[in-house]
Amino acid sequence: QYTTENIELDNEIFLIAVANANKNIDGHILQIFTDELPALDQYEGTAYIRISCALKSGKSAWTYIKNTQPLLN
């Protein structure tokens, strides 16, 4: 389960998903093709990582969450 918090990237504020055992995120599901995932990963950048998560419906979906790993230069 996740919640959102603000993150500043390039002087702009964005939402980022962070783990929280007591919260859920409402949102939309977009259908994409598997070959589009690398481009989405690049677009999201190193502040985010892509994980598979379970939805309330029982289905799974890719989502981007806060990358808590140290970023390498």
Side-chain angles (χ1 to χ4, degrees):
Q1 293 178 313
Y2 294 87
T3 191
T4 59
E5 64 182 38
N6 290 337
I7 183 172
E8 184 176 341
L9 299 170
D10 298 327
N11 297 318
E12 292 188 56
I13 302 295
F14 299 92
L15 289 177
I16 193 163
V18 293
N20 185 316
N22 301 312
K23 301 268 182 157
N24 290 307
I25 298 173
D26 292 325
H28 300 280
I29 301 169
L30 304 175
Q31 186 173 352
I32 61 164
F33 296 102
T34 303
D35 62 349
E36 296 174 307
L37 288 172
L40 289 171
D41 291 343
Q42 184 175 1
Y43 173 81
E44 292 296 345
T46 57
Y48 299 84
I49 57 172
R50 176 171 40 96
I51 63 162
S52 178
C53 68
L55 306 177
K56 286 183 180 181
S57 66
K59 296 180 180 183
S60 63
W62 292 114
T63 191
Y64 288 88
I65 65 168
K66 184 177 184 177
N67 184 356
T68 59
Q69 301 297 314
L71 301 179
L72 301 175
N73 292 330

